[in-house]
Structures are given as C-alpha cells and as structure tokens.
Amino acid sequence: MLAGLLDSGLSSLATFVIGVYAAHSLSAELLGGYALAFAAFSLAAIMPDTAIFTPLEVLVVQHPRAERLGLLSHTIRTGFLAALLPGLGLVLWTLVAPSELPREAVHAFTITAIVCAVLSPIQDHVRRMLHSAGASWLAAVVAAVQLLMAIAGVGFFAATDVPGWWAPFGVLGAANLVSLIVGLLLVRFRADVVAATPTWRALDLHRASGWMLFVGLIPAGSTFLVSALVASLASPTALGYAETARVVAQPLIVLTLGLSATFSPKLVAAAQASDGVEAQRLRREYHGLVIAASVLYVALVSRAWAGNPMWWIVPKAYVVPGLVAVMLLSVFAQSLAMTGRFEMLGAKGEKALMLIEAGGNVMRAAFGGLAGVLGAFAIPFGVLALSAARVMGQSSVLRRHYAQAGGFDALRRRRTSSRASSGQVASTASPVMETGAWEATAGERPPLRIGVVVEEGPQPSWVSDTLDALRALPFCRVSLVIWIQPIDDRARRRRRLLERVLSAGRHALYGLYSAIDRRAFSVAPDPFAAVHIAASVGDIPEQRVRAVRLPSGDHYDDEDVAAIERAQLDVVLNLGTHPLGDRMLDVATHGVWWCAQSATGERSMLPGVWEVMERRPTTTLEVRVHDRRTPTGRVIDRSYLRTQRFSAARNRARLYRKSITLLTLRLRELHEVGRPAEATHEGSASATTPRAPARRGRPGNIDTLTAVVGIGTFALRRVLQRGHWPGGWFIAYRRHDDIASDDALRLVPEQFATLRPPPDHFWADPFPAFVDGRHFIFFEDYVFATGKGHIGVTEVSADGRCSAPVPVLEREYHLSYPFVFEWAGDHYMVPETVAAGRIEVYRATDFPYRWEFHSVALDGIRAVDPTIVEWDGRWWMFASAAQEPVADALDLNEQLHLFHSTSPLGPWTPHRRNPVKWDARGSRPAGRFFQVDGELYRPAQDCTERYGGSIRILRVVRLDLDEYVETEVATIEPEWRPDLIGTHTINVVPGLAVIDGRLSYAAARCASVG
C-alpha cells in the first residue's frame, strides 16, 4: 500500500511542479490558452485509458500474476492505435482556441499536447500493470523518474530563452517519455514476453469497461466544454486566473487522491458485502482526515498574506479576490464525493454512477454558460454543482443498496426480527362490493350526511367532478355546501401582492417549465380548468362562512359555525386549498376529511409536482381525518401511486382523479361499519403524524433547473433502453432434486440456466409443474408479429435439459401468466385474460399439451395475474384489477383485489375492503404463494420504476374476511444477470425453480444471454 501511495503521490507531484511553473512564467492570457489545451489533452488521454487500457487490465487480471507483465507488449500493441487517434484529434482544439492567443503559442500547445496525449495513457498503463503484477515499488520508481524529469525540464526552460509556451506540455511529454522507457526496461528485466498472443475482442473490452467508459468521458468532456465557454464568454485571462487558483488547490487534490487510494479497496469491499456499518465507519474516518487537512490548508493559502507560500509562488492566483477560496471549497466538495464513487463500484452501480455524472455535468456546463456574468468563478461554481449532484445522487443510490442488504441469505434472520417489529404494512383498506350489495346496505342504513367545503370563486373542475361523484352514491347525501369567504385586511393584501411580485423572478423557470409541460403533456379533461360549479351544486343547501386569516389560525363567525352544526353532518370534506381552523373540527360527527399529498400530512401547494421534481418513484396520496381528538390528523387511507416521471402536469392530474376514488371508497366503508378505519403504516405503529412546520411552495429556479436536467437524463436513459419496447423477457431455471417448495427464500438466480427465446419472441411468466415424476415449465410466449401471447410448455429432464417448447393454449386474445394447479384429480390453468374482460379457467384433457375451456371465474373485470391459494380453510384469489370509470392502465399495477370461495373453481366473492392495497411498490402478483415454517409468503411486482421492475417478497400477517395485512421481508432486484432491467415472476416446485428476467434493448439485440 505504501508503494501505491508513493507512486500516486510522485506522479501527481510531477504534474503539480509543471503547473506551478506554467502559472508562474506564463501571462494570464497564455495560461488561459494552456488551461483550455490541457482540458482537451485530458479528454484525448482518457479515451484510450477507459476504452482500451483499463478493460485490458481487467482481462489481464484473469491470468496468473507471474504471467501478467509478460502480456504488456500485447496490451500496448492493442491500445497504441487507440492512444494515437485521439492524440492526433487534439488538432481540433484549435477551432475553439481564443483568437487573442499568438499563433506560435497555439502551435506549440498543439504539438506538445499531442505527444503527451499519446504517451500519457501508455505510461499510466505500464505503472498499473506493474501494480497488477505485484511490482508496486517498480511503479513508484517510474513515478520518481517522471518527477525528476519534470524538475529537470522546468530547470531547463527557466535557464534558457526558449519561449515559455513550449514548457508545460513539453516538460510533461519528456517526463512521460523517459519514465515510460525506464518502465519498459524494468518490465523487460522482470519478466519474459508471453509467446502466445491473447485475442481480445472488442465485445470483451466493452463488457470489461461497461458504463465506466462514460463515467470517465463525461467529466472530461464537461471540463473541456466549460473551459471553452469561459474562454469565449468571459476571456482567456479569466480562464487563466481560474487555472492559477486550481494550481493552488492542487496539493489538496493530491492529498485526497492519496487518501482515496488507501480507502478505496476497503470501501469497495464494504459495499460488495452490503456492510453499511463498516462503510459508514470508513467514510467518517476519510472525511475526518480530509476535513482536518482542508481546514489547515484553506487557512494557510486561501488569502494573500506574508505567511502564504503560494502567494509568493503563484501571485496571479490572488488577483481575483475570493477566487482561491471558492476553488478550494470546490475541491473540498469534490473530495466528499470520492467515497460514494468507490462504494457504488462495489455495489455494482456503474450505470447509476454514469447517470449521476451525466446530470451533474449538465449542471456544471450550465454554469459555464453563465461565464459572461460569473467570469473565472464559473469554473469552481460548476464544480460545486457537480459535487452536490454527486453527493446527493450517490447517497440516494447507496441508501437503497444498504437498505436492501441481506437478500435471500439473510431473509430468515430478518423474518424473525420482522415478527417483533411494528413495521407491518397494513392494506390500503378500501371497500369494494358489487353495486347491488351497496344498494342493499344503503337501504338498511340511512345515507351519510356530507358537507363539502369549497373556497369562494371559480373552482377547478376536479371539485365539480367530486360533487357529481358524491351525488351519485346511494349511501351518501350531500347536505350542505360550505363556501369559505376569506377576509384579508388591506395591508395583508399589499404584502401578498409584493410577495408575488418578488417571487416572480425566483420562480420564473418553473413558470416556463410548467407552461411547456402542460402543452407537451396535455391532459383531457383537465382537472384544473376553472369552472363554475352551480350545476353540480344544484339544489344542495349552501352556507357562506366568513374566515379571518390570522397568524394563529382562521377565525370564524360564531353564527356561521352554528348554522353548520344544525345541519347534523356526518362528515365534512375539505375540497379547498387551506386547512380549516380548530373551531370547524367539531361540526361533523366523524370530523373533517381531506386528501393530503405529502408524507407529513400537510397539503402541498403544488401536489404531485415535487415528486416529479425530486424524481421520487412514487407519489403518496392520503385520506386524513381531522377532529378535536387528533387536530393534526390521522390517516385512514394511504396509497402509493407510480409517479409520472416525465410530466408534473400528468402526475397532478392523476393524483386528483385518484383522490375522488379514495374518498368514495372510504365513505363506503364508513357507511358499512359506522366509523372510519385506522391505517397502520410501514415503519410506524401510529397513523398520526405531527403537522409539518411549513408547506412547500413553488420550485425555485435552481430546483427547476435541477429537475429539468434529471427529467432529461431519465428520458434519455429510457430512449437508450427503449423503455417502451415490450421485449427482452427470458426464462431462467434450476433443476436439482434437492430443491424443495419452501426453498424460494434461499434461491440464487445467478446460478440458474437460461432459456433463450427466438429473436421475434419473448418468454415470461414461468410456472413450473411437477406431475408423475416429470417437470414442466409453462410460460407466456409472446410473438411480436401477432402482438399477443399464447401459453407454451417445455419439459425439463433430470439432467437439466429442456425439450423444444410447444404451444398448448392459444386464443384470439392475449394470454399470459399460466397459473397451473391440481384439484380433485384434474389439472387446471387460470391464465391472464384481461384482454377478454374476464378471468377464465381451463382444464387439461391431456396434460400438459391439451386444454379445454372450463368456466368463467369472474366476468366483467379487468384483472391481471390471478393467483389462487388455500389458506385457513378458504380459497383466495389475488389479482391486480382496475375498476371503471375511475381507472387507468396504471391501476393494473397498483391495485390489489381479493376474492374468496370454498372452491378454487368458484363462485368467487369480492373482499369487502377491495382494493385491499393500492401500492405500485408491491400489489401486482409475481408468482405462486409459498409457505416456510407455517407462514405464508406472497411474491409481488415492484412497478415503480417500470412494469416488472423487481420482485418483493411479502409475508402475510393477516388474511381473513375483514382484513388483509402483509409486510415486506426481501427484494429481488434485477441484478442476478448482466444488463437486466426487470424481473417479475418467481416460482418453485420440488426439484425445479424458475424466474424470469428482462434484458435492455441493446443487450437483447446482441443476444448476450445464455
């Protein structure tokens, strides 16, 4: 380790010596030209390094250590052309070279930079190969030669009259050349060249480099772009001053690089082991050292004073006041993101790391575009923005990684603790019954008396839709419409006008984004279109209430409140934008209800917007009850909707449409049981949450800019992955006699064999069957040419080989999810038949190849993935279903419905609380139930990122006619094979386990599975 630190430190010190000489000897204008050329050189040098040399080193590691140095001549020959071409391409930097620079200087920078760009990646490769072969001290010798040559070269130019513009790259090129020759000589004495030349295909190199190619290229390209923008929009002199400030900060960069080289192996190992505690300890130790060193160094060199050695060496750095201090702050911020980078590599998060780099560097480039205003400060401000994006993005990814630690191996340990915890997920309890049943109930009990609160003036159309929906319910009667008339004094109105004027500039970008968003993603009908609700109110009695808005809360006229109390309301629905004061909490028997769109229970001023802005996968929708007992509110329904990631307008529209549904369902249950239900939520034993200190307002300009970058990056990723493309699904299986039905908790999909479909098909939804000592896999066979799927089957022999798949069930509509079971000596199949608008049952006439239609289990229902299980003497059917007319396609992934019967063939009765769960994170079924130690487990799909994104394993806590409660115990992410973007079905029978996976578009096209 000491040799590695010495190698890294000496090499960085050589660059620092050259940078100090350039900053000392060149004018600010020439230094700006050198900085731009250096950015171009870095971009050209990193291309062969990340695309060729680093992947070659990964492949070389697969050879015995004694043979690795012998392969150096082959690796250099393989990568030389890749180093030469970008080096020659450096000529293109002259197209953006500032016109103020002398032509001789541009020519000198270009010629010497080309030499450096060719030699530098090769020299770095030689040193890394020495480390790989266990000769780290020889690598340190090469770095020492590089430093000595750099010092000698600087001395030569200082003692002669050679123009200074030949010095920076000339010295670096000479140092690299001599140290490279020394390194090659050391390698020649150390090992013999391997005679057999290995063959490295381009695909092998691509797989070895993966997303890290882009992780290296994106920042280098961004650095060059920002440098060019500063030189063009500000001046070469401004760029030169920024370069001098960077030189001052170079020792801090060298320190952080050395520390990261020490901590990186441990951080990678901790992330690989999903050991969050060890990773946190290492981060704290690293950050403590960085902070201590940074504070001392910043105190020493951040300003010009007699005790500052940098002021004497690089006086130009202090010409622009505050520039050095901001540059040091940006370097410090960069160092904080170093640990997260290594942890993400250990967590196999290269793709996420690339996306973070892309988003952060777009923000960095945006600051470069402001160089005309910021001048030299555009460089460090851009780095600060990049560092902030890195820290936030890495933290988010790593939190999810460590939260999911344990996987299958630790599931039994987690199951024991989960029994004792209070974090059981109760269903998002909402009743659903057939219309006739509800009418019968309505006839037995008087309808609920509902009061509706709205604010004076035109209303958004969703308020009118809510009133219409309530008036159509047989168990409700809207008895009173309460109009709130806010009374503000003149001074308050003036303050609000002034606040609106001042905030216009702060939120200008959001206004522009919102207008474009509404136009690009128009929603019809628009739930926010202003309408007059006189037609919806009709003959409903009305009451106007004067409300004085005070800092302590709203104050109401006593006569107005008394008039509301005389209406003897059961529930007050607050459809306004302002929470009601305490005086109004007693006017209804069951309190004031409203839909809150934030986890804290506060109604956001822009519900559904911040979820898109902050790229949250789900949008939370709650129905809360406020009364005297719980003035801060208690939750009686909580749903997790999939966020419409591309459009805040669409996300808001869907949120408000679903709020009508939730209010309707909760009122139905209140009418049935006589009291609102209590909801228990994941991670909390209580549904009551304190009031938030403040509501979130409109996003500011920085918030909007960050969000637009994130949305654009997400959209680009989906385009590259062809996220709309339905294909890529394949089946993986493992055949072994030791596999038992309860082994689903211990499966290791990485060990599974692959069933690869033809190019014009995909195969998904595998269901195994074990009949008469033979194993079969039923699955969905989707044919792109017909646009629909049918059911196929293959037989798996004892040695794990599969027979040629054959179709066994095909209809004129789409079939999938072949749930196969045995009952009373016959074999039955319940496939997904949502396209037919019903759930059908088929019986085998010649298992497994011939099936006949048997019956319709449920008619007139849009349901997917029906899954049947017997539990506690009763048969249960689970299905993800959508109900018209308040349903959309996403409901099929979010709403879990239950039906019960005394036979698996029906007739089926809907559960009284349907949908028992409304959660995109784990509603849609993902395979058969299974039992372990007498407990029932349900696989479910996580559809927050995309349909079939991953699988969640849920333990059933309660399943009866009154309630359904389940709690999550594990997650199967699509990480068990390279290039996966989804996995959504898992099943086990004795001797055979199956799972499916979805490849990205590019991986599927390359047929890289199998």
Side-chain angles (χ1 to χ4, degrees), residues 94 97 109 206 210 267 341 348 480 713 847 858 865 888 895:
T94 58
F109 286 152
H206 169 71
L267 286 165
R341 180 189 182 97
K348 298 181 181 179
L480 189 64
T713 303
F847 185 89
L858 290 169
D865 301 344
D888 54 38
Q895 294 187 28

Side-chain angles (χ1 to χ4, degrees), residues 795-818:
E795 183 173 359
V796 185
S797 63
D799 59 2
R801 290 182 296 179
C802 292
S803 65
V806 296
V808 296
L809 182 60
E810 187 168 6
R811 306 284 281 183
E812 63 274 12
Y813 41 83
H814 175 75
L815 300 178
S816 62
Y817 201 81

